[in-house]
Amino acid sequence: MTEHTPVIGANHIDGQWIPAASGATFDSVDPADPSRVVGTFPDSGADDVRAAVDALEKSAPEWAATPPERRARILEAAAAELESRAPQLVEEMVREEGKTRAEATMEVSRTPMNLRFYAAEAVRAGGSTYPATPGSMVYTVREPVGCVGAITPWNFPLNIPSRKLGPALAAGNTVLFKPSEITPLMGQRLVEALLAGGLPGGAIALVQGGGAAGAAVAADERVDAVTFTGSTDVGHAIHRQVGPQRRVQLEMGGKNPTVVLGDADIETAAATVVKGAFGLSGQACTGTSRLIVVDEIHDALVDAVLARVEKLVVGAGVDADVTVGPLASAAQLRKYREYVEIGVAEGAVLRTPRVDDERGGYFALPAVFTDATPDMRIVREEIFGPVLAVQRARDHAEALELANATRFGMSAAILTRDLQRAMEFASASQTGLVKINQPTTGMAMNAPFGGYKASSTQTFKEQAGASMMQFYQSEKTIYLTPAG
Ligand code: NAD
């Protein structure tokens, strides 16, 4: 993509790149300059999803019968293809999503690593044998579930889809992929890489569009399993649609606390909090949105956080000195502004400048509120933007109580030198992810990922671990007695 040449995108159905049946389109735009169109994509509806599932049904037997070694080689070749296109993908991600170059570079380099990880899963042993009557056998085999629907958000537009498409394809499923309408180009690039790696065109369908396309994916009874990452409200709507008969995996919103105890080093703690809160412009599901500090260091830590926030540079991700890119969409900017108003109206104290950026992009200044209390909406609701609510705690016990006082359960961090208190926190935290002396963000690719409470269905972990491949496989128990 040269800077000013918008991409003309397409759906990928039955091995063909085609427009939406209705001919409708939508644009993805550069959040640093929304007048600049990054690409035009099909605005798909139920007809397109139906056609995609029809085609996937035809291809499913052949792909399921493809030897695991071949599936592994395809994922490895797709990883190599992504690596060969890395500089272009970084530029496109910066333009389409608004990440800084450093953030985009990290994601673009990680996605091929994911695909290689799942390539290895394709050939890992799957079944078990069980004690049986002598001369007989009882054993299990793992089979593909069938057709996997993957509905994904925009904040990691390559990485999150890769950790769904990778294991789904490794297990021999066909995939119906519906990327976010904010980052359709990234979705298309991932499918292009898989096809370039040798994936048969019939094994994957790409359907671009918004919520209507996503809802059609979830509603189609022939989609055997739906894996979704996104907001809690949408996730719950999908859960209702999928119903009890089909498999579902939902990873959703968060309201992640970082607890800082009195023995923590103030400067290290401030750096950790600022990284967790304002990295990705606050648009990470594991981002720090609550800072819970014990009384004795509250004021010193707030001052250190504010000093670091002052040094953040908000601007277009293409500019080398920028550390906080624009928000991804006009809706994100509206939500950020609305919650800054709400915080002020609720009586929290805004400690950062309250100015609207007039440059025309979706830029948002990092906001830090102190005197935030558990009843406030800025403490209870996911904002998914650069807003940090600071809560004061009497001691470590109250800090833990405040940390858990949320319907969400994604990630939580504690910063302390006291290992015993840290371990107490780790076991009492009602979250799927706990970080000790690390930001709430930044997870390893080779460890299980997923939330508790309203952040997840908790059905299957993503990314790694024992239950990860189980989502994409059915297990059949076979009893065998050779005929005499
Ligand atoms: P979103 O829920 O608005 O959209 C996610 C996807 O769902 C998009 O592809 C969208 O088009 C689709 N969609 C929208 N309405 C739908 C409907 N009714 N039926 C089916 N599909 C529908 O979320 P978003 O704004 O793209 O992403 C931000 C959210 O994602 C935040 O809440 C964040 O916490 C969450 N998130 C969670 C994780 C995690 O692993 N837990 C990771 C990243 C982001």
Side-chain angles (χ1 to χ4, degrees):
M1 183 180 80
T2 60
E3 218 177 277
H4 297 291
T5 313
V7 171
I8 306 297
N11 286 340
H12 181 82
I13 296 176
D14 207 7
Q16 307 293 320
W17 290 100
I18 55 171
S22 67
T25 60
F26 69 97
D27 291 340
S28 79
V29 300
D30 181 346
D33 175 4
S35 69
R36 192 202 315 252
V37 173
V38 172
T40 298
F41 296 86
D43 195 359
S44 312
D47 287 350
D48 304 289
V49 168
R50 203 172 309 114
V53 184
D54 288 347
L56 292 171
E57 272 194 322
K58 275 193 305 182
S59 306
E62 193 181 333
W63 178 240
T66 301
E69 297 83 353
R70 170 96 193 110
R71 300 202 293 260
R73 277 201 302 276
I74 289 169
L75 291 175
E76 282 161 7
E81 174 71 14
L82 288 172
E83 276 163 349
S84 74
R85 295 177 77 174
Q88 172 204 351
L89 293 171
V90 168
E91 289 314 299
E92 290 179 344
M93 189 180 286
V94 169
R95 292 286 184 203
E96 186 173 63
E97 188 204 335
K99 276 197 167 88
T100 64
R101 263 212 188 96
E103 290 165 347
T105 301
M106 190 175 293
E107 178 168 357
V108 167
S109 67
R110 185 150 166 172
T111 303
M113 291 164 70
N114 277 348
L115 292 184
R116 290 202 175 88
F117 183 87
Y118 300 117
E121 289 294 334
V123 291
R124 236 183 269 284
S128 316
T129 57
Y130 292 86
T133 315
S136 297
M137 272 185 83
V138 177
Y139 63 99
T140 64
V141 290
R142 291 184 179 268
E143 303 175 326
V145 173
C147 175
V148 171
I151 305 171
T152 54
W154 44 264
N155 69 330
F156 286 99
L158 285 179
N159 197 47
I160 289 178
S162 76
R163 71 182 190 217
K164 297 180 187 294
L165 274 53
L169 293 167
N173 300 287
T174 56
V175 171
L176 173 55
F177 175 31
K178 209 301 282 174
S180 167
E181 62 274 35
I182 308 292
T183 50
L185 179 58
M186 290 294 98
Q188 177 165 322
R189 294 299 186 229
L190 182 58
V191 173
E192 286 170 0
L194 288 164
L195 295 171
L199 183 67
I204 189 157
L206 169 70
V207 177
Q208 298 282 12
V217 170
D220 196 311
E221 298 279 340
R222 297 171 299 163
V223 176
D224 301 285
V226 176
T227 174
F228 164 85
T229 298
S231 61
T232 297
D233 288 350
V234 170
H236 287 167
I238 289 175
H239 208 170
R240 286 191 292 277
Q241 263 187 316
V242 172
Q245 292 301 322
R246 290 183 291 145
R247 200 174 288 197
V248 70
Q249 174 186 53
L250 309 172
E251 288 303 330
M252 302 174 281
K255 193 72 196 176
N256 311 297
T258 292
V259 165
V260 187
L261 299 189
D263 66 349
D265 177 74
I266 298 282
E267 283 308 321
T268 309
T272 306
V273 169
V274 168
K275 185 171 182 202
F278 303 117
L280 287 185
S281 313
Q283 302 174 120
C285 64
T286 53
T288 306
S289 51
R290 296 183 291 143
L291 169 58
I292 300 168
V293 198
V294 292
D295 212 21
E296 63 189 282
I297 57 159
H298 176 278
D299 295 354
L301 181 60
V302 166
D303 287 347
V305 166
L306 290 173
R308 281 172 189 270
V309 168
E310 215 172 287
K311 295 202 185 90
L312 297 174
V313 181
V314 178
V318 287
D319 296 336
D321 58 338
V322 162
T323 50
V324 178
L327 302 188
S329 67
Q332 284 290 109
L333 182 62
R334 265 198 308 278
K335 196 171 181 195
Y336 157 85
R337 288 182 173 164
E338 191 186 315
Y339 273 94
V340 170
E341 296 298 323
I342 289 169
V344 171
E346 285 178 320
V349 181
L350 182 60
R351 301 288 296 270
T352 42
R354 185 181 175 191
V355 282
D356 286 344
D357 195 297
E358 299 296 340
R359 284 175 286 180
Y362 304 140
F363 301 111
L365 283 186
V368 178
F369 282 99
T370 55
D371 301 81
T373 53
D375 51 308
M376 291 180 179
R377 288 180 62 194
I378 59 163
V379 171
R380 286 187 290 122
E381 297 172 11
E382 185 184 45
I383 303 171
F384 214 58
V387 180
L388 180 67
V390 185
Q391 296 173 264
R392 192 189 285 265
R394 265 189 319 277
D395 52 22
H396 76 279
E398 191 186 33
L400 174 62
E401 213 172 282
L402 290 170
N404 280 337
T406 170
R407 72 185 187 113
F408 295 105
M410 193 75 235
S411 175
I414 185 163
L415 312 183
T416 178
R417 292 189 177 95
D418 185 330
L419 189 56
Q420 188 175 343
R421 291 241 193 281
M423 296 307 287
E424 278 167 20
F425 179 85
S427 73
S429 180
Q430 297 162 357
T431 53
L433 301 158
V434 176
K435 305 286 288 294
I436 299 172
N437 296 319
Q438 296 181 18
T440 51
T441 50
M443 305 301 164
M445 58 166 280
N446 58 341
F449 179 93
Y452 283 3
K453 293 159 82 175
S455 295
S456 173
T457 37
Q458 296 188 55
T459 38
F460 301 84
K461 289 290 178 186
E462 280 210 279
Q463 206 168 259
S467 70
M468 184 276 289
M469 282 305 278
Q470 285 170 15
F471 178 74
Y472 299 99
Q473 295 173 319
S474 296
E475 188 172 31
K476 180 179 282 171
T477 310
I478 299 173
Y479 292 74
L480 166 68
T481 301

